[in-house]
Amino acid sequence: MEIKNIKTLGQLKAAGYKSISIKDELRNNLREKIKSAKPVFEGVHGFENTVIPELERAILSRHNINLLGLRGQAKTRLARKMIELLDEYIPFVTGSEINDDPFNPISRFAKDLIAEKGDETPISWLYKSERFFEKLATPDVTVADLIGDVDPIKAANLKLSYADDRVIHFGMIPRANRCIFVINELPDLQARIQVALFNILQEGDIQIRGFKLRMPLDMQFIFTANPEDYTNRGSIVTPLKDRIGSQILTHYPESVAIARTITEQEAKLDENQADIVYVPGLARDILEQISFEARESEYIDNKSGVSARMSITAFENLISTAERRALISGVDKTTLRLSDFIGIIPAITGKVELVYEGEQEGAAVVAQNLIGSAIKTLFSDFFPKIEKLEKPGEKTPYSDLIEWFFAESGFELLDEASDSEYQNILDEVTPLDILVKKYQSQLDKKDQYFMKEFILWALVEHKKLSKDRFATGHQFKDMYGSYISKL
C-alpha cells in the first residue's frame, strides 16, 4: 500500500511504519546521499570544501545550527536546501495544529483523539516542502508570536476557563513541530525573546502563560546572523549561543570564476535578452571583479560586506543597458560594450555601505572608481604590464597608440551609437587593432571590439590616456592634450 493511501492509525501500524526524530531523519538521509556520492546542496557554489563539509558534520551530529556570515553569503539558501534531506512524506494526526506524530502525540487534542478512536484515528500526510518555517527576527517579534499565548476569543467561544489548556493559541515554533525552523538575523531578536528559546533548544519543551506544559517538540533549528549585528544592532545572548550545537562561518566566492557561476545562475533575464545581447567573457569577469574590488575598497565599510546580490543586479542592469541601446538603434542583436558599464552604477550605489571618506567622494564616483579598478586589475592578464615609471624616449607596446591620440586629438564614443558607428570609430585607431592581433591572436571575432575598448579604459586607469564623461558618452584624449585644454 502506498503511504498516501494509509488513512488510519491502524493501517499505519500494519504497514510497519516507524517514526524517528527530524534530526535522525536528516542524518539518515544525509548518510545515504554521501554514500551514493549524490550532491547535497545543489546550486550553492564555492562552499564545497569549506562550509558544506562543516554543515554536513553538524547534521550528522544532530546539532541546531547557526550560520554566521555577511550579507549575501547564501545563508538562507543553505537552510532552504536542507528540505531536500527530509523524507518525502511524514504522517500526522489529522486536525492537529502541531503535526502530532501518531505514535508519539504531544498535544491534548491528539492524545484525546487517539484515546477515543484508537486504531481508527484519522491520519494525514505532510509533504517535505510544507515542513519548512522561516521567521525574520525583527524588534517587534513577541513571545506570543513565536511560542504562543492564551486566546480569549477561543475561551469565550468554547466557554472554557483560562485555567484550561485548550484556550492556548500556539505560536510559530510549536506549529513547526517535526519541521525545520529558521530564524533569520537572530541578533535582531530582543534579548528577552531569545531567553524564551532556552528551554526549547535544550529540553525541547515550551512554557505558555504559566501553563505547566510538557511538550517535547521535535525540531531542527537553523539560525542566521551577521557578525556586524553583534556590535551594531544587537547580540546573541551567551546562554543561547551555548545551546546552539554548531556555528558555521560562511564567506564570499573566492574566485571570479565561482562568482560568475553564481551570477549566471541567479540573474533573472528575459529570454529575449539572451538572444539580443551577446556578452563577451571578459565583460562577465570585469563585472565580478568589481565586487572583489569593492570588498577591498577603502571607501566601503568591509564590516557590512558586499553582497553577491550586487553582481546579480549589476549584470541585469548591464544587459538591460545594451538591450535599450539595441531598441533605440532598431537592431535585433548587439554586442555588449565596456561603455555600457555606466548602466550598472545604480546597482552598485544601492548595495554598498560607504565609510566617511566614501560619503565625501560620493556613491556614484566610488562606483565609477570600482569599475576602473576592476579593469586595471584584469588588464595584465591579457596584455603586457604598464609600468608606472618609464625611461624618457623608451618604446613600449603602447607607445604607438598613445602617439596616435596625440596626433589625432582623440575621439568620442556615444552611449547610443549604432554598432556600425561604434565599430568604425574603433577601427580608425589602427594601433588598437595591432595590439589585439599581437597579444590576443586567438580572440573570437565577436569579442574584438570589446577588447579594443578595454585597452582604452585600462590606459586611462594607468594615466596614459584621458577619459572624460559627458551627458551622452565618453571622450578619449591623450593626457598632454587634455592638460593643455584645461589651462
Side-chain angles (χ1 to χ4, degrees), residues 358-369:
E359 296 285 358
Q360 295 297 104
E361 287 287 324
V365 173
V366 171
Q368 290 170 7
N369 290 343

Side-chain angles (χ1 to χ4, degrees), residues 99-207:
N99 307 318
D100 275 287
D101 183 345
F103 293 139
N104 299 293
I106 60 174
S107 72
R108 177 168 174 172
F109 166 82
K111 289 177 180 176
D112 290 350
L113 187 64
I114 292 173
E116 177 190 346
K117 297 194 173 184
D119 284 352
E120 295 304 312
T121 302
I123 299 299
S124 297
W125 294 86
L126 194 65
Y127 187 58
K128 62 183 179 183
S129 64
E130 299 173 301
R131 298 175 65 195
F132 182 86
F133 287 71
E134 191 173 352
K135 179 64 178 171
L136 176 62
T138 54
D140 62 333
V141 173
T142 65
V143 173
D145 294 334
L146 290 181
I147 299 175
D149 205 347
V150 170
D151 186 346
I153 297 175
K154 184 186 286 187
N157 288 341
L158 299 177
K159 297 180 181 180
L160 297 172
S161 162
Y162 280 1
D164 193 315
D165 61 10
R166 285 175 292 177
V167 303
I168 291 174
H169 173 78
F170 291 114
M172 287 188 70
I173 290 177
R175 289 174 184 276
N177 183 41
R178 303 173 73 203
C179 300
I180 296 170
F181 192 87
V182 179
I183 298 182
N184 283 315
E185 308 301 340
L186 179 61
D188 285 349
L189 205 61
Q190 293 184 46
R192 64 185 180 84
I193 313 299
Q194 293 184 36
V195 169
L197 299 176
F198 288 179
N199 262 35
I200 297 173
L201 263 67
Q202 193 66 42
E203 288 81 19
D205 60 15
I206 60 172
Q207 299 174 9

Side-chain angles (χ1 to χ4, degrees), residues 96-388:
S96 169
E97 293 180 280
I98 60 171
N99 307 318
D100 275 287
D101 183 345
F103 293 139
N104 299 293
I106 60 174
S107 72
R108 177 168 174 172
F109 166 82
K111 289 177 180 176
D112 290 350
L113 187 64
I114 292 173
E116 177 190 346
K117 297 194 173 184
D119 284 352
E120 295 304 312
T121 302
I123 299 299
S124 297
W125 294 86
L126 194 65
Y127 187 58
K128 62 183 179 183
S129 64
E130 299 173 301
R131 298 175 65 195
F132 182 86
F133 287 71
E134 191 173 352
K135 179 64 178 171
L136 176 62
T138 54
D140 62 333
V141 173
T142 65
V143 173
D145 294 334
L146 290 181
I147 299 175
D149 205 347
V150 170
D151 186 346
I153 297 175
K154 184 186 286 187
N157 288 341
L158 299 177
K159 297 180 181 180
L160 297 172
S161 162
Y162 280 1
D164 193 315
D165 61 10
R166 285 175 292 177
V167 303
I168 291 174
H169 173 78
F170 291 114
M172 287 188 70
I173 290 177
R175 289 174 184 276
N177 183 41
R178 303 173 73 203
C179 300
I180 296 170
F181 192 87
V182 179
I183 298 182
N184 283 315
E185 308 301 340
L186 179 61
D188 285 349
L189 205 61
Q190 293 184 46
R192 64 185 180 84
I193 313 299
Q194 293 184 36
V195 169
L197 299 176
F198 288 179
N199 262 35
I200 297 173
L201 263 67
Q202 193 66 42
E203 288 81 19
D205 60 15
I206 60 172
Q207 299 174 9
I208 298 175
R209 289 289 182 184
F211 281 98
K212 188 179 180 182
L213 294 177
R214 175 62 183 168
M215 297 180 67
L217 298 175
D218 177 22
M219 301 180 67
Q220 171 67 57
F221 277 97
I222 303 174
F223 305 99
T224 73
N226 188 319
E228 179 192 15
D229 295 344
Y230 288 143
T231 55
N232 285 8
R233 295 198 296 272
S235 63
I236 301 176
V237 297
T238 304
L240 182 58
K241 287 172 68 177
D242 186 54
R243 285 167 166 80
I244 300 172
S246 292
Q247 179 168 281
I248 298 171
L249 302 180
T250 58
H251 56 81
Y252 287 121
E254 295 175 341
S255 71
V256 167
I258 293 172
R260 269 184 63 168
T261 301
I262 295 170
T263 299
E264 289 166 11
Q265 172 182 284
E266 299 299 321
K268 295 178 176 62
L269 301 180
D270 186 276
E271 290 181 6
N272 293 330
Q273 288 178 309
D275 294 332
I276 294 171
V277 183
Y278 169 73
V279 185
L282 175 56
R284 297 177 186 271
D285 288 346
I286 293 172
L287 184 80
E288 302 303 338
Q289 186 63 37
I290 290 169
S291 294
F292 284 78
E293 299 294 333
R295 291 171 192 140
E296 301 295 327
S297 173
E298 60 182 342
Y299 295 125
I300 294 172
D301 184 2
N302 56 25
K303 291 180 182 177
S304 294
V306 177
S307 169
R309 286 183 283 270
M310 187 179 86
S311 294
I312 296 164
T313 54
F315 184 65
E316 292 165 351
N317 263 13
L318 187 61
I319 300 300
S320 296
T321 303
E323 180 188 24
R324 178 179 178 274
R325 174 168 46 75
L327 293 170
I328 291 170
S329 299
V331 296
D332 295 329
K333 294 184 181 295
T334 189
T335 298
L336 192 75
R337 304 172 189 172
L338 192 46
S339 45
D340 290 332
F341 272 74
I342 201 73
I344 73 171
I345 289 176
I348 298 174
T349 55
K351 293 287 192 296
V352 295
E353 296 285 340
L354 301 179
V355 296
Y356 176 76
E357 292 80 0
E359 296 285 358
Q360 295 297 104
E361 287 287 324
V365 173
V366 171
Q368 290 170 7
N369 290 343
L370 292 175
I371 296 170
S373 298
I375 292 168
K376 188 175 182 179
T377 298
L378 293 177
F379 184 69
S380 59
D381 293 343
F382 298 89
F383 294 96
K385 184 179 179 182
I386 300 175
E387 301 294 340
K388 286 185 178 180

